[in-house]
Amino acid sequence: MTDIIVPAFVSVTLGFIVFFLGVFLTRKVSFLGDYNIPEPVSGGLTVALLTWAFFAFTGTQITFDLEVRDYLLVVFFATIGLNARIADLFHGGRLLVLLLVLTLLFMVLQNLVGLAVTIFGLPAATSVLVGSASLIGGHGTAIAWGPQIEELSGFGAAPEMGIAAATLGLIMAAVLGGPIAKRLIDRNNLQSDQEEAPIVGLEFDDEENPDDLINHVSLMRGMLAVHVAILVGYFLHQAILEAGLELPLFVPCLLVGIAMSNSIPYLFPRITWPARTKSLAVISDYCLSVFLAMSLMSLQLWTLADLGGPILIILGLQAVMTVAFIMFVFFRLMGRNYQGAVLCAGFAGFTLGATPTAIANMSSVTKRYGPAPLAFIVLPLVSAFFVDLANAIIIQMFVGL
């Protein structure tokens, strides 16, 4: 039997179905709602388990075409940029620097934990494949470095090891962030001091606000602003690539969105600008939810079977180290406040998985407990912009050991 390749249109349609499966599960399983597990996570992991069972019984892999998913990611980050305020960025400058420093420190810690591979007789160079290359770097970085580490170390299973570690890391990121934030918020009696609507999605108990209606005009206005940001961001991305700097497309779109929202409303005050409106929050939540549902439902969990006992032990240590670092170091340095607790959910999301997972974790928390807009600005700037550049340098340091 040949492998099954699900075309792009069907994949995105399934993404919607998987999201609502997650909504159903969250309503029926109190643990999922109580511990802020995002709906796309519960639905996506359920489908991933079903495709794993199908593979186990038939030997046939189901592969989803994720082309549309990548478009949704770009739209999502454009909305994050449009919601950013320069005043907030200046206000959060110290927070941004501190978050960056802690992230750099954490990447080094991840690779130090990864060096435990040598205890089990594996080459030291493979440490990054259970460290920052696969966890904070995700599948893309793991795929990029796997063949190089295989050639350097002579360890033939290096590419598979990196992909499997990134897969398990994404799962850990999706299920740990919400419970960590809940523990910190409940234990410290924290609450939001912001009155405005969330940047991503709406509160679960949101009421109608006549000053911020959601209708076809407001949604189209939001989509127009998003796609102008993407259009300008695309040409900026081409210029960045020609300059020899590798950055994902969503980064310049994020930056252009920031520039637009901090110039156009002041230059053209008569224009109705969609930043921080409910309509833009819905667009943002829609794109993030379907993106994450598609990402998790497409996980090929059978690749985890390639992880030997020692590798699973090391990844378990990574999870324990992450939780301990967040609870005893990160949260305290972030101010021990509500915003810090939301950032803890995000930090778990991107240090073990990916930036969209981090945003989904934070969104799930803020929908239940209240907005924390600055967290949604500073974290993507660190996780999507600075981390890839720093990670390449840190990986080279450890690979050379």
Side-chain angles (χ1 to χ4, degrees):
M1 185 180 294
T2 58
D3 293 344
I4 298 175
I5 300 178
V6 181
F9 178 77
V10 177
S11 294
V12 73
T13 303
L14 290 175
F16 281 96
I17 297 173
V18 168
F19 169 75
F20 281 103
L21 171 63
V23 172
F24 172 79
L25 292 173
T26 300
R27 290 176 178 173
K28 295 298 182 181
V29 182
S30 58
F31 167 83
L32 297 174
D34 291 343
Y35 285 89
N36 307 305
I37 305 299
E39 295 92 340
V41 172
S42 53
L45 289 179
T46 300
V47 172
L49 288 170
L50 292 175
T51 59
W52 186 11
F54 182 79
F55 172 76
F57 281 105
T58 67
T60 301
Q61 297 185 17
I62 298 178
T63 302
F64 297 93
D65 186 332
L66 301 178
E67 181 179 356
V68 177
R69 183 198 67 168
D70 297 335
Y71 159 75
L72 293 172
L73 180 66
V74 174
V75 172
F76 167 72
F77 274 105
T79 66
I80 294 295
L82 289 171
N83 278 318
R85 293 173 180 165
I86 293 294
D88 288 341
L89 292 178
F90 283 124
H91 176 69
R94 176 182 173 276
L95 189 68
L96 178 66
V97 172
L98 185 57
L99 178 59
L100 175 60
V101 171
L102 289 173
T103 301
L104 296 176
L105 171 62
F106 190 81
M107 285 192 286
V108 174
L109 291 176
Q110 273 191 336
N111 289 329
L112 289 175
V113 173
L115 283 173
V117 294
T118 58
I119 299 175
F120 301 103
L122 295 174
T126 62
S127 63
V128 297
L129 295 177
V130 286
S132 68
S134 296
L135 298 178
I136 204 167
H139 285 83
T141 306
I143 291 170
W145 279 94
Q148 298 182 50
I149 294 174
E150 176 184 14
E151 182 179 351
L152 177 67
S153 65
F155 183 64
E160 292 77 13
M161 175 181 173
I163 293 172
T167 300
L168 184 57
L170 187 61
I171 296 171
M172 294 189 299
V175 300
L176 286 177
I180 289 173
K182 174 180 171 57
R183 170 68 174 168
L184 292 171
I185 291 171
D186 292 347
R187 186 178 67 182
N188 296 281
N189 296 315
L190 303 175
Q191 59 184 1
S192 172
D193 60 358
Q194 301 287 328
E195 296 182 357
E196 60 192 60
I199 287 178
V200 182
L202 304 175
E203 300 97 330
F204 290 140
D205 59 350
D206 184 59
E207 298 179 356
E208 286 294 328
N209 180 0
D211 296 327
D212 187 12
L213 294 176
I214 300 176
N215 54 39
H216 68 287
V217 175
S218 64
L219 288 171
M220 291 298 289
R221 183 185 297 118
M223 288 297 289
L224 174 61
V226 164
H227 283 85
V228 170
I230 293 174
L231 178 64
V232 178
Y234 173 80
F235 289 109
L236 178 59
H237 184 245
Q238 296 302 308
I240 292 173
L241 292 178
E242 291 178 4
L245 182 61
E246 291 288 339
L247 281 178
L249 174 60
F250 66 79
V251 173
C253 294
L254 170 71
L255 297 176
V256 170
I258 294 174
M260 289 173 59
S261 275
N262 288 275
S263 60
I264 293 177
Y266 303 100
L267 295 174
F268 306 97
R270 294 181 179 274
I271 291 180
T272 302
W273 193 246
R276 301 200 178 191
T277 60
K278 291 182 178 180
S279 294
L280 199 62
V282 168
I283 295 169
S284 184
D285 204 9
Y286 152 72
C287 291
L288 177 63
S289 296
V290 179
F291 171 88
L292 197 58
M294 294 177 69
S295 296
L296 290 167
M297 77 182 191
S298 63
L299 291 178
Q300 297 181 328
L301 296 181
W302 52 89
T303 61
L304 299 181
D306 296 331
L307 287 177
I311 308 304
L312 289 174
I313 292 173
I314 295 171
L315 290 175
L317 290 175
Q318 293 284 17
V320 171
M321 187 272 290
T322 300
V323 174
F325 183 86
I326 290 173
M327 299 291 287
F328 300 111
V329 178
F330 186 84
F331 177 63
R332 295 181 180 183
L333 293 177
M334 286 291 110
R336 298 176 62 89
N337 53 22
Y338 174 73
Q339 182 172 255
V342 174
L343 279 169
C344 286
F347 192 77
F350 90 87
T351 54
L352 291 173
T355 301
T357 311
I359 301 296
N361 286 348
M362 295 196 301
S363 176
S364 184
V365 173
T366 56
K367 285 177 184 177
R368 187 164 301 280
Y369 292 102
L374 187 58
F376 287 87
I377 303 302
V378 298
L379 187 137
L381 288 177
V382 172
S383 64
F385 187 71
F386 296 110
V387 163
D388 286 340
L389 301 176
N391 202 13
I393 298 172
I394 292 173
I395 289 172
Q396 290 177 3
M397 290 170 52
F398 278 85
V399 167
L401 291 177

